[in-house]
Amino acid sequence: MSSTTNLPYAPETWPIASAMIHRQNALPDGRTVQDQRPEEWAEALAEVAGAGFSHVDPTDSWIRIADLEPSRLAEFMDVARSLGLSIPAISTARRSVIDPEKGDEFLAYGHRLVDTAAKIGASAVSFGFFGPLSDAQKKALWFWTAPGVVNPDDPAVWKMAVERIRELGRHAGENGVEVALEMYEDTYLGTADSAVRFVTEVDLANVKLNCDLGNLVRLHRPVEGWQSMMAKLAPFAGYWHAKNYYRLEDETTGTVMSSPAPMEFGVINYRAAVRMALQAGFRSAFLLEHYGGDGLSVCAANRDYLRRILRATSVATA
C-alpha cells in the first residue's frame, strides 16, 4: 500500500498559507506593523483573504506576533478570524539562535514563538540560521546574488546550534508543535547532506526540515540538482516554504543566472517533489512565497497549482 494513503487533509483543505513577504514591517510614517491598529492589520490581511487564501503565516519579517502583548495578540487573532484566515504555522527570518551578537536573545524569542504557536493553535514554527542582509545584498536587485552571512566552519558552533534547536524542539514537542528548519545557502542547512546530518543529530521526531529548495536553486553558483536533494530531504520534510525559480546555466562559461518563477514554470518540478515528500510521509502545511512583481497574486496562482497536484495525488492513491 502506498504511504500516500490516509492523508490527513483533503486536497481542498490542505493548509496552504500565504507568506507576508509582500509587506514590509517598517511603515512610511515611521511606525512599524507592531504599532498598527487592528483596522490597519485588517487592511493587509484582507488582501490575502481577497486573493482566495484561508491560511496565512504572519511571517516575523512583517509582524512579530510573539512580541505582542496578550491583548494585542487577541486583537490580531480576532482580525484574522474575522477575515476567515487561520494560522497553520509561523516563520522566523534572520533571527538565528547562533547569531554571534544576538543568539541568546533570539533563542529566548524562539521559545516565545513556540508558546505563541501553541496558544493560537499553529502546528509548526520555522527556524533558520541565516543572518541579516549584508549591505551588498540590500543594494542588489535580487539579494541572493550578493554574498551574505556564512555560518562558521567551527564544530563548537555547530554543536551549539544542535543543542539550541534540540532545546526548542523539546519545548515545541511538549506543546504539540513541529519545528521546521529552513534550507538556506551558506548555513548548516545549506546543502541536503548537511541538513540531513544536522536534523539527524538533533534527533527529535517533531524537528523536521523545511525543504525550501528555491533558496538553493536560485544561487548563481553550482548547486546539487533538486531531484537529488529532494530524495535525501523527503524523509525529514516538515512545514514547507515552496517557491520556484528560472535557472539558466551556460556550461561553456560557467555563467549561472536565475529569477523568480511561478511554481509550475520554474526549474523545480513540484508535481514530482510533492509526490516524493508525500510518499516519504510528509503531512505538514505549505507556505507560498514569491519575490518580485505582484508576489501575492503569483502565490495565489501557485496555491491553485499545488491543489491540482494534491488532487491528482489523492486520485492516484484512492
Side-chain angles (χ1 to χ4, degrees):
M1 181 179 293
S2 171
S3 62
T4 54
T5 57
N6 301 317
L7 296 177
Y9 309 101
E12 301 306 325
T13 61
W14 200 295
I16 302 176
S18 170
M20 292 299 292
I21 60 174
H22 60 280
R23 288 269 182 165
Q24 299 296 315
N25 175 260
L27 302 172
D29 60 8
R31 296 179 301 152
T32 72
V33 176
Q34 300 292 123
D35 308 315
Q36 285 189 309
R37 301 182 303 277
E39 53 267 32
E40 292 175 296
W41 293 334
E43 180 182 351
L45 293 176
E47 278 191 333
V48 175
F53 282 95
S54 54
H55 302 90
V56 65
D57 180 334
T59 319
D60 70 4
S61 59
W62 177 59
I63 186 171
R64 301 182 316 279
I65 65 170
D67 286 342
L68 293 174
E69 294 295 326
S71 61
R72 294 273 286 162
L73 177 61
E75 288 178 330
F76 183 86
M77 293 305 300
D78 285 345
V79 168
R81 293 187 187 108
S82 73
L83 293 165
L85 294 170
S86 66
I87 298 176
I90 310 169
S91 295
T92 65
R94 308 192 184 282
R95 290 176 172 82
S96 169
V97 297
I98 57 169
D99 184 278
E101 296 180 1
K102 297 184 177 181
D104 291 346
E105 175 187 334
F106 292 153
L107 177 61
Y109 170 75
H111 281 290
R112 295 197 304 275
L113 201 56
V114 168
D115 286 334
T116 301
K119 183 175 182 179
I120 68 173
S123 62
V125 177
S126 177
F127 294 101
F129 296 127
F130 47 108
L133 291 172
S134 66
D135 289 340
Q137 287 178 315
K138 292 176 182 177
K139 294 176 182 177
L141 173 61
W142 304 124
F143 62 84
W144 56 87
T145 62
V149 173
V150 178
N151 287 172
D153 183 14
D154 183 337
V157 180
W158 172 283
K159 180 181 178 182
M160 179 174 67
V162 169
E163 290 174 347
R164 289 189 165 190
I165 293 299
R166 186 182 293 131
E167 177 184 328
L168 289 169
R170 285 175 174 156
H171 180 191
E174 292 167 357
N175 289 277
V177 173
E178 172 191 292
V179 166
L181 304 175
E182 183 175 353
M183 305 286 293
Y184 200 94
E185 79 268 14
D186 298 326
T187 74
Y188 296 146
L189 309 168
T191 67
D193 289 330
S194 181
V196 168
R197 177 191 163 203
F198 188 92
V199 75
T200 301
E201 286 192 28
V202 173
D203 193 25
L204 292 174
N206 68 311
V207 177
K208 301 180 181 296
L209 293 175
N210 173 351
C211 304
D212 194 343
L213 300 178
N215 283 347
L216 303 182
V217 303
R218 69 191 181 188
L219 300 176
H220 288 195
R221 65 176 88 160
V223 296
E224 183 177 3
W226 71 263
Q227 300 98 322
S228 174
M229 288 194 286
M230 197 66 217
K232 298 170 184 176
L233 300 170
F236 305 94
Y239 182 48
W240 191 347
H241 290 186
K243 56 182 176 285
N244 215 344
Y245 290 82
Y246 298 110
R247 180 178 173 89
L248 301 176
E249 298 182 9
D250 185 340
E251 298 294 338
T252 61
T253 64
T255 300
V256 179
M257 302 186 72
S258 68
S259 64
M263 278 177 64
E264 60 185 309
F265 299 133
V267 69
I268 302 166
N269 178 350
Y270 271 98
R271 186 175 297 274
V274 169
R275 185 177 294 275
M276 290 169 69
L278 291 172
Q279 289 175 340
F282 172 76
R283 299 295 184 268
S284 302
F286 292 92
L287 172 75
L288 301 181
E289 300 178 309
H290 184 84
Y291 290 100
D294 183 354
L296 178 59
S297 291
V298 175
C299 286
N302 288 346
R303 177 201 62 230
D304 297 342
Y305 165 68
L306 187 51
R307 292 212 188 279
R308 293 199 301 273
I309 292 172
L310 293 169
R311 282 195 294 271
T313 301
S314 179
V315 169
T317 59

